[in-house]
Amino acid sequence: MKIVTIVGARPQFIKAATVSRIIRANPAVHEILLHTGQHYDENMSEIFFRELGIPLPDYNLEVGSGSHAVQTGLMLKGIEEVLLKEKPDCTLVYGDTNSTLAGALAASKLHIPVAHVEAGLRSFNRAMPEEINRIVTDRISDLLFAPTRTAVINLSQEGLADITCFTGDVMYDSVVYYKERILQNPAKYKTAGIPEKYLLATIHRAENTDNPGNLKNIFLAFSSLNQEIVLPVHPRTRKILQTSPDLPGNVHIIDPVGYLQMLKLTMDATRVLTDSGGLQKEAYFLRKQCITLRSETEWIETLHDHWNIIAGSDPGKIEAAVAGDLPTAPIQEGFGNGKSAGIILEKLLLF
Ligand code: UD1
Ligand code: UDP
């Protein structure tokens, strides 16, 4: 079976690392890796290939940054050329980025079956570009790998139950697998030059970065927290912060870090504040309370017992969440058993 895996953005490298490791261990499968080039900085792309042992991409389209239409259009053109040349039995796409949409669209128009990992996530907020990408990708895919029962229900409500399979979450597989490696040599993955006790924050969603009011409110809340905050800054956010003169003194901005360093930063943090989808889950898996800097979450399983608090960009809600007690309730199982990638491979082989 020949599979073309299509990735392009940071969280997709992390997800594909886990699935590709399992896929490539099976001699019945030949995987071709296509990188769209959506993310291209060394610390947004290459670092993950290197540290997670992902084979180098067979193709890199190098589309780079651009408006949604320009970026997606360039990807469509490049992906079509590769698919026509490689003639795979199926394509594998991940998550909800423009690379996901372009991969699914190019393949489905060529009648090449599409399998979607992390299908069925819904924020029910169509102002998010990711929501459009998810809805379209799920609708045109042939096999939907749902990470949670909520995702299964969402897909069923859209009439897609027949092609849906609950797999669990490959990001849970990743945390289970790599946490062990970190625990064997914690000093290796520790970030130098940051405070001993800190809150870990990330911000990159369009709703926060492209809305000066929201970003200002988040930093207003940060400045009033009276705690040190470590912020590995996404390049999108860095560009905006470059023109912002007054960053609060308690915010320590660092460059984006590799995945293992990021897991370690999460393990050592008091709490996590983020608008990231992936980091909300990692915080939960690592038993760290998450304060979500968005007005909703797709990962509603994380909300029980205040493990995840939706605060948006409201300073009052952010401050109240950080002032509250840390949760102690057990984490619920809802993301599979850490072997989702194996289930994905099994289903692909039957596809
Ligand atoms: C994209 C995804 C988002 C995902 C995120 C993961 C879409 C619509 N959005 O958002 O769902 O959560 O990736 O991180 O696909 N930039 C650089 N260097 C890079 C990459 C980006 O400088 O290597 C800068 C550019 O100015 C670019 C901006 O970041 O315009 C945004 O990048 P883009 O890939 O369009 O979207 P993300 O915000 O990264
Ligand atoms: N991440 C990382 N280095 C960083 C910031 C995040 O490795 O400096 C990881 C994080 O641990 C998670 C993934 O990137 O696994 C989340 O990606 P991101 O927040 O960019 O996208 P989202 O999940 O919101 O789509």
Side-chain angles (χ1 to χ4, degrees), residues 164-329:
T164 297
C165 162
F166 173 75
T167 56
D169 190 341
V170 297
M171 289 192 84
Y172 181 57
D173 294 19
S174 299
V175 169
V176 169
Y177 184 81
Y178 289 108
K179 189 178 157 192
E180 282 312 305
R181 192 188 288 186
I182 295 165
L183 291 175
Q184 278 161 20
N185 192 356
K188 181 173 174 191
Y189 302 107
K190 210 168 160 59
T191 301
I194 59 164
E196 203 52 41
K197 193 167 184 289
Y198 61 90
L199 306 171
L200 176 65
T202 73
I203 307 164
H204 76 277
R205 290 279 163 201
E207 71 198 66
N208 287 326
T209 56
D210 295 1
N211 181 327
N214 285 357
L215 201 60
K216 194 164 158 238
N217 277 338
I218 289 171
F219 279 96
L220 190 69
F222 284 4
S223 69
S224 69
L225 287 180
N226 207 16
Q227 294 194 47
E228 304 299 325
I229 298 173
V230 174
L231 178 74
V233 72
H234 190 288
R236 174 187 198 117
T237 316
R238 182 176 295 272
K239 284 198 178 117
I240 290 153
L241 294 182
Q242 268 158 3
T243 56
S244 139
D246 39 2
L247 272 179
N250 62 330
V251 177
H252 303 257
I253 292 201
I254 60 172
D255 285 334
V257 297
Y259 177 64
L260 300 178
Q261 199 177 331
M262 189 64 187
L263 284 186
K264 177 75 173 132
L265 273 171
T266 308
M267 288 158 80
D268 293 346
T270 315
R271 288 178 162 95
V272 171
L273 298 105
T274 191
D275 59 10
S276 159
L279 188 55
Q280 282 179 61
K281 289 184 288 173
E282 285 159 1
Y284 183 70
F285 302 150
L286 295 167
R287 291 183 61 85
K288 296 291 166 180
Q289 187 184 50
C290 182
I291 295 149
T292 294
L293 307 172
R294 287 179 47 200
S295 44
E296 73 278 310
T297 181
E298 299 80 23
W299 304 103
I300 58 172
E301 290 78 3
T302 61
L303 292 171
H304 73 94
D305 296 297
H306 303 295
W307 279 109
N308 189 356
I309 298 175
I310 303 294
S313 56
D314 180 334
K317 286 188 184 166
I318 297 171
E319 287 159 34
V322 172
D325 291 336
L326 287 171
T328 52

